[in-house]
């Protein structure tokens, strides 16, 4: 018992140390990148801080106050591509084994080739599904209510600006949020915002449902729940996801939020296969993926909406006498339906919206040797370049803006 108390106390101390902006990062960096530069430490909260902080008055909701009520286990997560129907919710809540539910918004945003899941929540209600140390970390929920972001520290180290503590949720025109708290997240969720942000991010506030089965094994409600919600909904067992990263028996759903990713991809349903591969639903592949010929590279397989801009960009590269700066033999592909190596995170390659050029001399973490005039042309035609990222990937280009061609 004393050992468990020491572990809980250590966990709480670690969470408190992570509050308020991006403090100096002390965890080991991911294997594939160097340590991030530390930002200036932020002050710790004190007992005299009684007024909940409001970082963004335009995106604030009522502060939640102290936790009131019991905690619930986060056992099942259901996701639709539209708001849940009230009548369906009532039928779900009547299912034997369903002890408690909470509606949340779920959307996916693309940050530096990583498709991450954002949850838009009511801070006062959602906190009851988190672990005790997180649920009782009052300042974290006050900061989410005040318009800031709660995020796993490891994710923040990759995507947050180390100097400002801001995270841009998408391409250049996407909103930026300040990191208010580093907190562990529920399986399959990467970051949490309040519901006032949903419209600006381009996501719903109630297309997801958290379910607690309390004392009943979650697997016992899977089949009746799936029959109720239909095949178009994703039903994930979070106890399985916490062990394996994802529930391999779930038919997963990504609903890209706002911007280019949302307008081009639409609802993306897929099944997890072995070896890091995924199987997008055949209807999406048939409607979205094409093999066509483009200048310099020849025949490539990508999302159909990528081709007009890619073709125009490569044609301009040719016309400006720069074709020799792109080596077709070092083209590493566009459409790859799989997770980023060693993760359960989708990349834009899964949607056919990214391509890798001149791979040999443009490895991750380097400035890259790709011709900067070629880079500038691709940027002009709406492609973001991985060489601009905090952890560089100079071979990588991805569609960031839809432009009219011709």
């Amino acid at each position: 018992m004393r050992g468990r108390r020491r572990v809980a106390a250590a966990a709480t101390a670690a969470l408190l140390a992570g509050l308020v902006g991006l403090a100096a990062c002390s965890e080991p960096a991911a294997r594939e990148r160097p340590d991030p530069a530390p930002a200036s430490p932020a002050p710790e909260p004190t007992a005299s801080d009684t007024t909940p902080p409001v970082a963004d008055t335009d995106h604030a909701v009522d502060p939640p106050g102290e936790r009131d009520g019991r905690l619930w286990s986060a056992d099942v997560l259901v996701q639709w591509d539209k708001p849940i129907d009230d009548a369906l919710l009532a039928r779900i809540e009547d299912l034997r084994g369903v002890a408690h539910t909470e509606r949340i918004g779920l959307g996916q945003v693309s940050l530096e080739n990583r498709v991450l899941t954002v949850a838009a929540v009511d801070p006062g209600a959602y906190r009851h599904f988190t672990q005790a140390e997180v649920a009782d970390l009052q300042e974290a929920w006050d900061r989410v209510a005040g318009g800031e972001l709660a995020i796993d520290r490891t994710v923040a180290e990759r995507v947050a600006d180390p100097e400002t503590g801001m995270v841009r949720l998408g391409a250049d025109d996407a909103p930026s949020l300040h990191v208010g708290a580093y907190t562990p997240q529920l399986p399959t969720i990467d970051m949490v915002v309040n519901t006032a942000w949903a419209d600006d991010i381009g996501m719903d506030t109630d297309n997801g449902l958290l379910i607690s089965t309390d004392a009943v094994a979650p697997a016992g409600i899977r089949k009746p729940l799936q029959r109720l919600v239909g095949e178009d909904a994703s039903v994930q067992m979070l106890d399985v996801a916490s062990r394996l990263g994802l529930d391999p028996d779930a038919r997963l759903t990504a609903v890209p939020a706002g911007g280019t990713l949302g307008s081009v991809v639409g609802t993306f349903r897929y099944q997890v296969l072995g070896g890091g591969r995924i199987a997008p639903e055949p209807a999406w592949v048939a409607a979205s993926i094409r093999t066509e010929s483009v200048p310099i590279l020849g025949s490539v397989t990508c999302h159909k909406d990528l081709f007009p801009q890619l073709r125009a960009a490569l044609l301009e590269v040719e016309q400006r006498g720069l074709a020799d700066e792109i080596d077709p033999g070092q083209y590493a592909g566009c459409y790859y339906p799989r997770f980023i190596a060693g993760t359960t995170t989708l990349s834009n390659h899964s949607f056919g919206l990214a391509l890798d050029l001149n791979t040999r001399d443009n490895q991750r973490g380097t400035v890259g040797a790709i011709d900067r005039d070629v880079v500038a042309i691709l940027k002009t035609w709406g492609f973001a370049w991985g060489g601009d990222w905090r952890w560089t990937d100079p071979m990588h280009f991805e569609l960031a803006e839809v432009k009219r061609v011709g």
Side-chain angles (χ1 to χ4, degrees):
M1 180 64 73
R2 287 194 299 271
R4 285 198 293 272
R5 289 197 189 101
R6 285 195 296 270
V7 170
T12 301
L15 288 168
L16 285 169
L19 273 170
V20 194
L22 284 177
C25 300
S26 60
E27 283 86 347
R31 289 176 298 170
E32 60 179 340
R33 59 186 172 82
D35 289 330
S40 300
E44 295 292 342
T46 66
S48 62
D49 292 334
T50 57
T51 302
V54 177
D56 188 333
T57 56
D58 292 333
H59 297 93
V61 298
D62 291 339
E66 293 186 4
R67 179 169 71 86
D68 181 20
R70 59 160 291 185
L71 298 179
W72 297 95
S73 55
D75 297 313
V76 183
L77 180 62
V78 188
Q79 182 179 0
W80 293 262
D81 59 358
K82 58 186 177 183
I84 182 175
D85 177 80
D86 288 343
L88 176 58
L89 176 59
R91 294 171 66 193
I92 292 172
E93 291 179 333
D94 285 341
L95 269 182
R96 189 172 190 175
V98 172
H100 192 65
T101 67
E102 174 63 21
R103 288 199 243 201
I104 62 175
L106 292 170
Q108 282 69 36
V109 296
S110 177
L111 286 78
E112 300 189 357
N113 194 36
R114 288 175 175 257
V115 181
L116 303 177
T117 296
V118 182
V121 307
D122 173 345
Y126 177 82
R127 70 195 295 183
H128 292 89
F129 280 86
T130 65
Q131 58 185 267
E133 294 86 356
V134 177
D136 290 330
L137 198 57
Q138 185 62 39
E139 187 164 353
W141 301 108
D142 286 341
R143 288 183 172 275
V144 171
E148 294 181 273
L149 180 76
I151 188 171
D152 183 272
R153 183 187 288 270
T154 303
V155 178
E157 286 178 354
R158 173 173 287 277
V159 301
D161 186 305
E163 295 181 359
T164 65
M166 303 296 286
V167 176
R168 186 180 298 278
L169 298 186
D172 290 344
D173 59 346
S176 293
L177 282 73
H178 187 259
V179 175
Y182 298 124
T183 56
Q185 301 300 317
L186 298 184
T188 79
I189 293 174
D190 298 296
M191 59 192 88
V192 169
V193 301
N194 71 46
T195 52
W197 276 107
D199 284 344
D200 285 0
I201 299 172
M203 58 186 291
D204 289 314
T205 59
D206 53 0
N207 65 326
L209 187 70
L210 273 170
I211 298 175
S212 173
T213 59
D214 210 6
V216 176
I221 73 165
R222 178 171 215 144
K223 288 184 178 179
L225 178 60
Q226 190 74 67
R227 284 195 296 268
L228 260 185
V229 301
E231 291 300 317
D232 286 342
S234 166
V235 176
Q236 298 183 66
M237 302 290 109
L238 295 185
D239 60 332
V240 177
S242 67
R243 299 193 307 272
L244 303 179
L246 286 174
D247 177 358
D249 294 325
R251 183 167 173 260
L252 302 176
T253 301
V255 184
T260 297
L261 196 64
S263 64
V264 171
V265 175
T267 301
F268 182 78
R269 296 188 175 90
Y270 63 100
Q271 196 79 32
V272 178
L273 304 177
R277 297 172 298 123
I278 65 169
E281 65 178 351
W284 184 89
V285 175
S288 304
I289 302 301
R290 302 283 187 273
T291 299
E292 299 184 10
S293 182
V294 298
I296 304 174
L297 298 177
S299 180
V300 297
T301 301
C302 301
H303 194 287
K304 61 182 178 58
D305 291 342
L306 186 80
F307 281 109
Q309 288 166 237
L310 178 60
R311 193 173 283 116
L314 294 178
L315 181 60
E316 183 174 340
V317 170
E318 277 189 335
Q319 291 171 340
R320 291 178 54 180
L322 297 169
D324 289 345
E325 299 294 339
I326 297 177
D327 182 356
Q330 293 186 54
Y331 166 67
C334 181
Y335 173 59
Y336 283 115
R338 59 186 301 121
F339 297 116
I340 294 172
T343 75
T344 54
T345 302
L346 296 175
S347 82
N348 278 340
H349 284 287
S350 297
F351 309 133
L353 293 177
L355 64 154
D356 293 334
L357 302 176
N358 291 13
T359 55
R360 184 179 59 228
D361 298 322
N362 292 281
Q363 296 297 306
R364 293 186 183 217
T366 70
V367 297
I370 193 162
D371 186 271
R372 294 317 192 252
D373 288 333
V374 170
V375 171
I377 291 169
L378 282 158
K379 285 185 176 182
T380 298
W381 285 104
F383 290 87
W385 179 46
D388 290 330
W389 297 344
R390 183 180 170 201
W391 170 234
T392 59
D393 190 4
M395 72 176 70
H396 182 90
F397 295 85
E398 61 184 45
L399 192 66
E401 181 184 359
V402 176
K403 291 179 174 287
R404 179 175 293 181
V405 178

